[in-house]
Amino acid sequence: MGSPIQDKNSQVTFLKQRLNMFLDVLEAIEPEDTELEDIDRLIEMIDDLESKCREFNNRD
């Protein structure tokens, strides 16, 4: 993995990029074709974002 992001602006940029990636995946999903694994992956993406937010907050 890369080095930890320490700069606040870089942290916000990183989180925005990850959120936009999540939104792109969410928009691309067809509800009638969605399987349980797809939903699990979305939940995992949200959990990762939440974890990264906590990590950034703890660096203050």
Side-chain angles (χ1 to χ4, degrees), residues 8-57:
K8 285 286 186 195
N9 289 331
S10 297
Q11 290 173 350
V12 170
T13 299
F14 174 85
L15 292 171
K16 283 181 180 179
Q17 290 171 341
R18 295 287 295 267
L19 184 57
N20 284 329
M21 195 177 353
F22 172 80
L23 293 173
D24 289 342
V25 171
L26 189 60
E27 287 178 4
I29 288 178
E30 293 293 331
E32 34 310 309
D33 298 329
T34 303
E35 296 185 10
L36 185 57
E37 292 81 17
D38 300 323
I39 302 299
D40 287 343
R41 180 64 187 131
L42 289 171
I43 292 168
E44 186 178 317
M45 291 175 78
I46 291 294
D47 288 344
D48 289 344
L49 272 169
E50 182 181 17
S51 175
K52 197 51 91 169
C53 286
R54 274 195 225 110
E55 179 184 328
F56 289 159
N57 281 334

